[in-house]
Amino acid sequence: MQTNPQTNSELSFDDFKTEVLNDYKIAVTSRECSLLGRREVLTGKAKFGIFGDGKEIPQLAWAKAFKNGDWRSGYYRDQTFMMAIGKLTIQQFFAGLYGHTTLDADPMSAGRQMGGHFATHSLNEDGSWKNLTAQKNSSADISPTAGQMPRLLGLAQASKIFRNVKGIENKTNFSINGNEVAWGTIGNASTSEGLFWETINAAGVLQVPMVISVWDDEYGISVHARHQTTKENISEILKGFQRTEDENGYEIIRVTGWNYPELVEAYQKAGTIARDEHVPVLIHVKELTQPQGHSTSGSHERYKSEDRLAWEREFDCNVQMRQWMLANNMATEEQLAELEKDIKKQVREGKKAAWTAFLEPQKQERQEAVTLLNNLAESSSNKNFIQKIASDLAAESEPSRRDILSSTRKALRYVVAEDAVEKRQLQEWINNYFETIQPKYSAHLYSEAEENAKTISEIQPTYKDGAEEVDGRVVLRDNFDAIFSKHPEALIFGEDAGAIGDVNQGLEGMQEKYGELRVSDAGIREATILGQGIGMAMRGLRPIAEIQYLDYILYCLQIMSDDLVTVRYRTNGTQKAPLIVRTRGHRLEGIWHSGSQMGGLVHLLRGMYILVPRNMTKAAGFYNTLLESDEPALVVECLNGYRLKEKLPTNLGEFRTPIGVVETIKEGSDITLVSYGSTLRIVEEAAKELQQVGINAEIIDVQSLLPLDINKDLVESVKKTNRLLVIDEDVPGGASAYILSEIVDNQNGYQHLDSKPQTLAAKAHRPSYGTDGDYFSKPSTEDIFEKVYAMMHEANPADFPKLR
């Protein structure tokens, strides 16, 4: 081994020794945290443990190359790195393991995530952006394997945008000339995932400043690399990605994971290439170990041979660094032994402090509850039963909030027929407790800032006298033109979004006008299109990621559900990713692109808005609204509406469609018909035919599914008509059932109904091909007419004789 890492050649030997010794302290601290953390899980104090042991030394080298403004998108082994950049203390490590529900204690997520999931704060308390170039940044981790990769691509692409797009040079709280590098980490086995390959390919195409470290310890939980990777060597099979003098590609670096000076040199080289040249780099960190196995859920002794275990003990990176330090006179055996002993003590003390801080508020809450229970017991004829509950709770040495609430709520059952001040005091305390404690586990699913997207007022489109009627796609196109002119940080990308202006010409001419970086074509890779958007949105840009058809959302649904919609929630409001996802669907005559999965999206995408405009003017208004806010959304344009005629507004880029507000598009008195998107045109046709037989239907467009009817206007219609039918092209039990639940359950619409509320959905299968396939698969005008008529027949058979 060389004695000095190249980057330290200007340091004196004494200064270099000090730096190396400090690195070793961090490595030992991290390892002790892992060892003690595992014990905390096995004793039951923590619920799950997954640690960074065996990866300490390469992460120290990485931290040396990581600069202010840079970003991390990693996975749950990077605790040493977080300690090395000063973003994770011993006490914070254990607070995260215990799930302490304050950001002061656990700044990563305030107890929202398991230990090993790290983040920094991008936002001030009021939700505004911090200066991200003045700090070292980590995007919030997720557990799903390789799920961090698509976001990594977007974090890197943002630097390319900031360096090359004019008009955003003043965004210096987000970037300094695009000099920031996005650093990713992934386990060797996880490179088997499609998300890894899609991201690797996309980054090579885009040529962005991304450095991806592959931690290679030969196993994926219990499965050896021979079952994971061709040739058992990820860098070997990626040779074709290596750049040459004539072709763009990757710089590929291979390094041994226990060789400290070699690692420092490799990471400095990678950072320089990515930062200066905007070239992606892959670092294959080989010969790593995992001393405690994958996690606390299993033991690696079950699947590793004795030879392998012996090798891991010898080539443990911490052990090797220690031997190197001794061999090169960095420290004496006595100095290192004393250092290690002191660190063990620090870790034990930090663990104890974290556990004490975690329990203290719960002990105080428990004491309040016990006092109230004892008071209640004294006033009740069921004193003995209540006192038993109180004494059992008091005896809990480590009370949980579940224990506290369970005990107090059960006690109320014994006094249900009694009326005493003590009973009312306990009831009030329980209600207040829920109000105070519940947000610790539920807050920040959506923006809680005073000016969130739901508060943005509607601005109606304005028109000239005798306004021109144009294809709906022209309204969209001209509104996008206004958006890109008004918002220089806005950009759009997707399959066919660039040169041809999208498949329906809603972006016609935009690339020619605004350039290939702002209006871009992308490969057929939905997951990384979505990831590009997440990463760029996390860095202050306003990306619009276009997924060509609604059905293709399924390719990136895991990223949307696990990453995008949870960013604000899983960081307890300290990060955001206001990505707009644009797609099109509904009413196509065929199995695909038919929009039949809305119910699934509604349930899987809680945390972002799902907007379902019935025409292109409404869609354009949603884009305008979203760009005035800072929240993610999915906008589903009507696939069969681009050629339908609409008036061209004069206030393009300014009119706004309100989010979560329904619109009554026809007044009526006999029945309320609720729908959205393209289906509304069929509902309107059916309403005309119903009018001919004396049935006056009211039609309501919900406009957005998430959120749904924040003003509770739907129930007001039901109060008037006393009958309700929800029509949808989704499968039975999908979006129509979701809408019905809102009206009947949440808005208590059942109180005003004279007939059973009903839904009319598509058949349980995807729609069959062709016009006849569509007719027999999805609700038709006749289906709606007959369903409404049957409801009226049941209520008044004399006026509405049976139809069939």
Side-chain angles (χ1 to χ4, degrees), residues 233-406:
N233 190 323
I234 189 64
S235 58
E236 178 68 20
I237 61 176
L238 285 172
K239 273 184 176 178
F241 284 79
Q242 175 66 53
R243 64 176 177 157
T244 67
E245 290 184 2
D246 301 319
E247 294 178 310
N248 288 332
Y250 274 74
E251 185 67 24
I252 298 177
I253 299 172
R254 299 168 185 85
V255 63
T256 305
W258 45 262
N259 190 323
Y260 173 78
E262 181 184 304
L263 285 159
V264 172
E265 184 175 357
Y267 275 92
Q268 293 293 333
K269 177 183 177 181
T272 299
I273 291 171
R275 199 178 308 279
D276 295 347
E277 302 178 49
H278 274 200
V279 168
V281 182
L282 182 133
I283 306 177
H284 185 188
V285 186
K286 302 183 293 181
E287 296 189 28
L288 287 171
T289 68
Q290 203 152 276
Q292 298 189 116
H294 173 76
S295 70
T296 52
S297 61
S299 170
H300 66 153
E301 287 85 358
R302 294 167 53 200
Y303 52 84
K304 290 178 181 174
S305 69
E306 281 302 320
D307 287 345
R308 173 68 191 187
L309 291 169
W311 181 90
E312 289 195 4
R313 286 189 291 271
E314 181 180 356
F315 285 91
D316 181 304
C317 61
N318 284 17
V319 170
Q320 287 291 312
M321 183 176 182
R322 192 182 197 278
Q323 292 174 358
W324 173 78
M325 291 169 66
L326 291 171
N328 288 280
N329 299 315
M330 301 289 174
T332 66
E333 175 64 40
E334 291 75 16
Q335 287 174 322
L336 293 182
E338 184 63 28
L339 178 151
E340 291 156 359
K341 179 181 176 182
D342 183 59
I343 288 174
K344 286 178 183 287
K345 181 181 177 182
Q346 290 178 35
V347 173
R348 288 195 302 269
E349 290 174 347
K351 184 269 297 185
K352 182 179 179 181
W355 183 245
T356 299
F358 172 71
L359 276 183
E360 187 57 36
Q362 290 160 204
K363 286 184 174 180
Q364 182 177 341
E365 293 156 15
R366 185 266 308 274
Q367 186 54 51
E368 293 173 4
V370 169
T371 299
L372 289 167
L373 287 170
N374 284 329
N375 292 342
L376 181 65
E378 291 300 322
S379 69
S380 174
S381 59
N382 287 310
K383 176 179 179 178
N384 291 339
F385 296 104
I386 299 171
Q387 277 187 334
K388 176 66 166 56
I389 292 174
S391 62
D392 287 349
L393 181 59
E396 288 284 350
S397 60
E398 297 173 348
S400 69
R401 287 177 167 136
R402 180 185 66 179
D403 296 332
I404 295 166
L405 262 180
S406 177

Side-chain angles (χ1 to χ4, degrees), residues 209-226:
M210 178 182 105
V211 180
I212 177 71
S213 296
V214 179
W215 306 140
D216 188 354
D217 56 29
E218 289 198 10
Y219 286 86
I221 307 183
S222 67
V223 180
H224 191 269
R226 65 180 176 272

Side-chain angles (χ1 to χ4, degrees), residues 36 68 162 177 226 329 341 352 444 459-460 504 506 521 540 576 772 786:
L36 191 52
N68 280 352
F162 280 118
N177 194 37
R226 65 180 176 272
N329 299 315
K341 179 181 176 182
K352 182 179 179 181
H444 298 293
I459 296 178
Q460 293 277 358
N504 297 103
D521 284 314
K576 60 184 176 183
D772 287 344
E786 291 179 4

Side-chain angles (χ1 to χ4, degrees), residues 739-754:
I739 295 169
L740 183 64
S741 173
E742 169 63 28
I743 300 169
V744 175
D745 295 337
N746 297 337
Q747 298 186 18
N748 296 322
Y750 67 91
Q751 297 177 345
H752 311 289
L753 291 167
D754 292 338

Side-chain angles (χ1 to χ4, degrees), residues 14 124 170 222 269 310 350 366 424 432 493 497 502 511 525 717 788:
D14 286 341
N124 297 304
N170 63 336
S222 67
K269 177 183 177 181
R366 185 266 308 274
R424 291 192 292 276
N432 289 338
F493 46 92
D502 86 41
Q511 185 181 85
R525 45 174 179 79
S717 176
V788 172

Side-chain angles (χ1 to χ4, degrees), residues 674-687:
V674 180
S675 191
Y676 62 88
S678 295
T679 302
L680 278 165
R681 290 194 284 275
I682 298 172
V683 173
E684 288 181 286
E685 182 61 33

